[in-house]
Each structure stands twice: as C-alpha cells, then as structure tokens.
C-alpha cells in the first residue's frame, strides 16, 4: 500500500502578474505531521467553489500556488493517526480542503486525520463524490429537520430546488415519505423536480412577492432553505406553529427583514447548517444514511467522469453556466 514515488501529479493554479494559470504539475511529498494522514485520491468532484479557487477568487483561496478540490475520496497510504490506519477508505469534504489547504485535484492529499470520515459500507468512492459537499449539506439539513418534523405533520418546502443541495434534499425527503413543495426560479425544470419526488412546484418570483405582513397564513410545517433573503423570510412567516426551517445558503441575500413574531407567536425554530465545520458525530451519521436508506436509486446516472487533464475545460463550462449534473474526477483505474 505505501507509496514509494518521490512525486505525484496535481492540477496546480499559479498567480503570474495578476493572471491565474493552471497546469498539471509534479509535486513532492511532504513529511507527515502528528495526526496527519496521506491519502491516495481515487475520486474527487468539481464544485463551483473549486472553479472560483481556480480563477483567483481570494474570498475562497488567499494564497497561490494552490491545488483546488474541496471533496476527495481515497485510501490511506500513510498514517500518523491512532484512529485511522493504512488501507482505510475515507472521505474528506469541507473543513479547509481545497480552499487554503491543497485539495482533491491531485493524486494525493495530506490532511489532519480529524477531517476524514471512514467510507461507509455499501457506498463506493465514486458515489461519495457524487454526493460531495452538496450531498453532505443536504443530508445534514434533512437530518436536523427530520429530528423534529415527521411526514404526517404536513408539507415541507425546499428552496433552490434545482441546485445541488436542493435537488438532493427533494430526493431524500420524498423517499422518506414527505410531501415536498419545491420552490424554484426555473419553470422549465418542473418535470425534473417532479421526477425527483416533488409533489408541488412554486415559482420563486411568486413566492418572493408574498404579502409583507409580519406573519402569513401557514403553508408548511418545515423547510430546507438554500438561498436566504426574501425566500427565507417568507418561508419563516409561512410556517405553521412549531415549524422548523434549516438554512445553509445566502445566494439571494445574507440579510433577513423580519420581526420576532414568527418565533414568539408560532414557536418557529431556525437551524443553521454549516457543513464546513459540522461536528464529526453528525457527519458520520449523515454519511451512513446516504449510503443506505437515503441513497437515490439512480445516483450514478447523475454524473460524468473526467480525468485530471480535463478539469480546466470543465471549469470554464461551469463558470459559463453550461455544466449540468455532477462532474466526477477519476484519478485511479481500478
């Protein structure tokens, strides 16, 4: 198992005279620090945050040269950890991976052992990367919501329903028997959302324009919000008494223009989801559920595989909004 090479290949982004240039580079291995592990990466995935990192977005990555890739799955080849051993299959997502720590667009990653989750049985490394950070975030949102709301309680709203987190949330919730109302700005994706399991479709512009009263007629008992802003405001105001909403995104706006009335008069609960630093006990539980009863039946049909040298072309397509589905990086032939 232990690698005996002196170098490995990585998709490297360098800053030169204000421009960001990417290429495949040979990288040298570094000594392992205490509690670090060296992972032979089998699969990674392309995310929007990776595309930003690869094009010099300093809000994602401060220093260059850098290797993007916020998701990785592979096998441990060296370990200075007591909890993880050589040969263990692991998943690494979020924390600082691919942001200011070299990420999964490489044949090897070297990370603190506490960042790694053992790959569950009945889940392949490719499947783990189809889920990736988006799947983990969706799973955390579903887990926290279902702790308090049951299918028989009523309707569940999911905003940003065609996005990575939203689509997986719709799929998982419907599989668990919930009546899902998908909120989307993409009317042409109605059939796609119905196929995922949504029972009703609400267009985003209609939902954003609801009455500005501090409380609205109850429409849902729970919700998973991925966009923030006016959508989250109206979801909160539209929840039935003791309703629950999780929030994990702010693409619409990070601000909320609300009174405390939904929280005091209806007992609403707002749960924030931070997949980047979420506690390990929740991570382990979520990955276990994604491997079993939460796994979509056609999961492997929702992706296309690429090699290391294909990444730059896919990044450009992603930034142009022309990339559909999940793009999985395959780094080793099994």
């Amino acid at each position: 198992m232990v690698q005996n090479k002196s170098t490995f290949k990585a998709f490297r982004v360098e800053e030169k005279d204000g421009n960001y240039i990417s290429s495949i580079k040979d990288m040298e291995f570094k000594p392992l620090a205490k509690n670090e592990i060296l992972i032979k990466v089998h699969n990674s995935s392309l995310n929007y945050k990776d595309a930003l990192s690869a094009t010099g977005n300093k809000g994602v990555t401060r220093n260059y040269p850098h290797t993007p890739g916020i998701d990785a799955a592979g096998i441990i080849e060296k370990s200075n950890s007591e909890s993880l051993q050589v040969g263990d299959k692991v998943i690494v997502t979020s924390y600082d991976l691919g942001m200011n720590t070299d990420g999964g667009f490489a044949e090897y990653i070297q990370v603190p052992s506490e960042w790694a989750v053992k790959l569950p049985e009945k889940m392949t490394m490719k499947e783990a990367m189809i889920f990736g950070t988006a799947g983990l975030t969706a799973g955390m949102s579903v887990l926290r919501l279902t702790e308090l709301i049951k299918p028989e309680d009523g309707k569940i709203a999911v905003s940003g329903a065609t996005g990575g987190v939203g689509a997986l949330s719709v799929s998982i919730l419907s599989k668990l028997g919930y009546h899902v109302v998908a909120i989307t700005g993409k009317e042409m994706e109605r059939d796609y959302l119905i196929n995922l399991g949504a029972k009703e479709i609400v267009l985003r512009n209609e939902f954003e324009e609801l009455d500005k009263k501090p409380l609205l007629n109850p429409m849902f008992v729970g919700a998973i919000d991925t966009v923030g802003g006016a959508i989250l405001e109206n979801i909160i105001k539209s929840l039935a008494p003791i309703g629950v909403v999780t929030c994990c995104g702010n693409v619409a706006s990070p601000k909320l223009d609300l009174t405390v009335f939904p929280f005091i008069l209806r007992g609403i609960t707002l749960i924030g989801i931070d997949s980047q630093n979420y506690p390990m006990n929740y991570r382990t539980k979520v990955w276990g559920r994604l491997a079993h009863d939460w796994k979509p039946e056609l999961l492997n049909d929702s992706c296309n595989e690429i090699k290391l040298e294909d990444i730059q072309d896919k990044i450009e397509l992603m930034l142009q909004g022309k990339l559909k589905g999940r793009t999985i990086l395959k780094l080793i032939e099994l």
Side-chain angles (χ1 to χ4, degrees):
M1 288 292 300
V2 178
Q3 59 82 26
N4 54 16
K5 304 193 308 181
S6 60
T7 63
F8 63 93
K9 295 188 180 300
F11 176 83
R12 201 74 172 156
V13 181
E14 299 175 288
E15 183 177 5
K16 294 183 179 179
D17 301 324
N19 297 314
Y20 294 87
I21 302 168
S22 62
S23 61
I24 308 300
K25 295 280 190 179
D26 287 327
M27 304 291 294
E28 294 185 354
F29 292 95
K30 299 176 182 178
L32 283 187
K34 183 179 180 181
N35 291 324
E36 277 194 334
I37 52 177
L38 178 70
I39 301 168
K40 170 64 175 173
V41 179
H42 284 228
N43 294 101
S44 183
S45 66
L46 177 59
N47 300 276
Y48 192 69
K49 189 174 285 187
D50 300 320
L52 294 178
S53 175
T55 51
N57 187 305
K58 293 299 180 74
V60 176
T61 300
R62 293 187 297 272
N63 299 309
Y64 293 83
H66 176 66
T67 302
I70 64 171
D71 296 335
I75 299 177
I76 296 176
E77 289 208 358
K78 286 186 177 181
S79 175
N80 277 350
S81 165
E82 294 181 359
S83 59
L84 294 170
Q85 308 302 319
V86 171
D88 285 345
K89 296 179 180 180
V90 293
I91 307 166
V92 184
T93 59
S94 54
Y95 295 105
D96 193 48
L97 184 72
M99 297 178 67
N100 295 292
T101 298
D102 286 340
F105 293 175
E107 292 178 325
Y108 287 86
I109 58 172
Q110 186 172 320
V111 296
S113 60
E114 58 266 26
W115 291 7
V117 178
K118 285 188 179 181
L119 184 77
E121 294 182 9
K122 298 187 178 180
M123 178 180 281
T124 66
M125 287 182 275
K126 176 183 174 180
E127 288 174 337
M129 292 297 92
I130 296 174
F131 282 120
T133 295
L136 179 64
T137 304
M140 289 174 175
S141 303
V142 169
L143 181 66
R144 297 304 307 274
L145 184 72
T146 56
E147 287 174 339
L148 298 171
I149 302 293
K150 305 305 176 189
E152 59 270 21
D153 293 336
K155 298 179 180 181
I156 304 294
V158 177
S159 69
T162 61
V165 177
L168 282 166
S169 297
V170 171
S171 178
I172 296 169
L173 287 169
S174 63
K175 191 171 185 180
L176 295 176
Y178 288 86
H179 183 114
V180 180
V181 180
I183 301 173
T184 181
K186 300 177 180 178
E187 187 172 8
M188 71 290 294
E189 300 290 357
R190 182 180 296 269
D191 290 343
Y192 168 68
L193 291 168
I194 295 297
N195 288 334
L196 285 179
K199 300 294 185 185
E200 301 178 48
I201 310 296
V202 174
L203 295 180
R204 181 181 62 207
N205 60 348
E206 296 174 0
F207 197 76
E208 285 176 330
E209 294 171 3
L210 291 178
D211 199 301
K212 297 300 182 182
K213 294 177 182 178
L215 285 172
L216 300 171
N217 290 331
M219 299 171 63
F220 318 110
V221 296
I224 291 176
D225 174 69
T226 71
V227 298
I231 293 292
L232 178 55
E233 292 168 14
N234 286 334
I235 286 174
I236 291 171
K237 293 189 290 186
S238 301
L239 287 179
I242 318 301
V244 178
V245 57
T246 68
C247 65
C248 63
N250 56 25
V251 65
S253 174
K255 297 181 179 180
L256 290 177
D257 183 11
L258 283 172
T259 70
V260 296
F261 292 152
F263 304 99
I264 294 176
L265 299 181
R266 289 184 180 169
I268 302 307
T269 299
L270 176 62
I271 300 175
I273 303 295
D274 171 26
S275 62
Q276 184 168 347
N277 296 295
Y278 227 59
M280 184 56 71
N281 61 320
Y282 275 104
R283 288 172 178 268
T284 303
K285 186 182 295 186
V286 167
W287 281 116
R289 299 293 296 273
L290 290 172
H292 293 88
D293 52 322
W294 289 2
K295 185 190 292 186
E297 293 178 4
L298 301 177
L299 179 66
N300 283 277
D301 294 344
S302 64
C303 75
N304 60 86
E305 287 187 339
I306 64 170
K307 296 181 180 179
L308 199 59
E309 55 266 27
D310 302 323
I311 292 177
Q312 184 58 52
D313 289 342
K314 297 300 182 182
I315 285 173
E316 292 173 6
L317 289 173
M318 175 170 277
L319 292 172
Q320 295 168 16
K322 296 179 180 179
L323 204 60
K324 285 198 70 174
R326 292 286 284 164
T327 299
I328 302 304
L329 176 60
K330 186 176 183 180
L331 286 145
I332 189 169
E333 298 292 335
L334 297 179

